[in-house]
């Protein structure tokens, strides 16, 4: 099984048995202008419904979602507003938090990238936007290297669009390398981290070009 995910935001080209070239592009509702082929991973019920980790039926989560972009009907506008809201709302960037659920984060308003990602996914589901989390690596310029990261993907029109509530920039660029995605339904949250744990121990990454 390929280590890196292959899709609209990221394409993987094998170079040899030990190396691949990963090309990452920013995706928005109108960029690229069209999706060449129907996506094979369209949203399922698991991407829409409440789960044990992403409790979109929790009263605090629902109240928070309803208060953001109230009256707005455009899914992309709502998703961007929710992304910004989560960034501003999680005041304590607590890296000691161990995989809190969306409902727990809505109450504590603290956590690291996983808590940002799960709260945003749950909020999107409240507003009828299918959402899941993405698991992978992100480039940290200050460290000149990659580290574990989790972010959110929201289904807008005909595509999954990545959002990162730790940044709150209205989407992501090419600094995120995706290994897997999950609705976090019926699985152990820690099991979802296994691809990343395996990758961190064996990857050597080199940035070839940036446009």
């Amino acid at each position: 099984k390929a280590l890196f995910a292959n899709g609209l935001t990221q394409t993987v080209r094998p170079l040899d048995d030990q190396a691949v070239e990963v090309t990452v592009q920013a995706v928005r509702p109108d960029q690229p202008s069209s999706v060449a082929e129907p996506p094979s991973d369209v949203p399922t019920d698991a991407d829409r419904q409440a789960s044990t980790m992403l409790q979109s039926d929790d009263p605090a989560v629902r109240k928070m979602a309803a208060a953001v972009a109230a009256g707005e009907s455009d899914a992309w506008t709502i998703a961007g507003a929710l992304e910004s809201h989560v960034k501003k709302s999680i005041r304590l960037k607590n890296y000691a938090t161990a995989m809190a659920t969306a409902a727990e984060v809505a109450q504590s308003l603290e956590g690291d990238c996983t808590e940002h990602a799960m709260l945003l996914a749950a909020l999107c589901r409240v507003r009828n936007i299918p959402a899941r989390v993405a698991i992978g690596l992100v480039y940290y310029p200050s460290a000149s290297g990659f580290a574990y990261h989790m972010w959110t993907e929201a289904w807008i029109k005909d595509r999954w669009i990545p959002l990162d509530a730790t940044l709150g920039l209205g989407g992501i660029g090419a600094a995120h390398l995706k290994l897997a995605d999950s609705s976090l339904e019926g699985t152990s949250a820690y099991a979802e981290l296994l691809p990343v744990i395996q990758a961190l121990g064996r990857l050597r990454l080199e940035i070839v070009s940036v446009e």
Side-chain angles (χ1 to χ4, degrees), residues 108-192:
S108 69
L109 298 179
E110 63 181 61
D112 57 21
C113 62
T114 59
E115 284 70 43
H116 286 72
M118 290 196 286
L119 179 57
L120 177 55
L123 293 173
C124 284
R125 291 183 187 182
V126 174
R127 299 296 292 272
N128 297 315
I129 301 171
R132 63 191 186 188
V133 299
I135 302 156
L137 306 168
V138 69
Y139 183 73
Y140 282 95
S142 59
S144 298
F146 289 84
Y148 160 75
H149 197 52
M150 183 184 285
W151 58 98
T152 308
E153 292 182 333
W155 181 262
I156 308 295
K157 297 180 181 177
D158 61 353
R159 64 195 67 185
W160 289 106
I161 300 183
L163 296 162
D164 191 340
T166 63
L167 301 176
L169 299 176
I172 66 174
H176 296 59
L177 297 177
K178 179 180 170 181
L179 300 178
D181 57 64
S182 175
S183 67
L184 292 181
E185 180 197 52
T187 60
S188 165
Y190 291 101
E192 303 293 344

Side-chain angles (χ1 to χ4, degrees), residues 3-4 15-16 18-22 137 146 177 198-208:
L3 179 61
F4 292 98
L15 299 179
D16 56 42
Q18 300 295 323
V20 296
E21 181 181 82
V22 181
L137 306 168
F146 289 84
L177 297 177
Q198 293 173 332
L200 287 175
R202 70 192 225 217
L203 278 180
R204 186 172 65 86
L205 301 168
E206 176 187 351
I207 298 175
V208 177

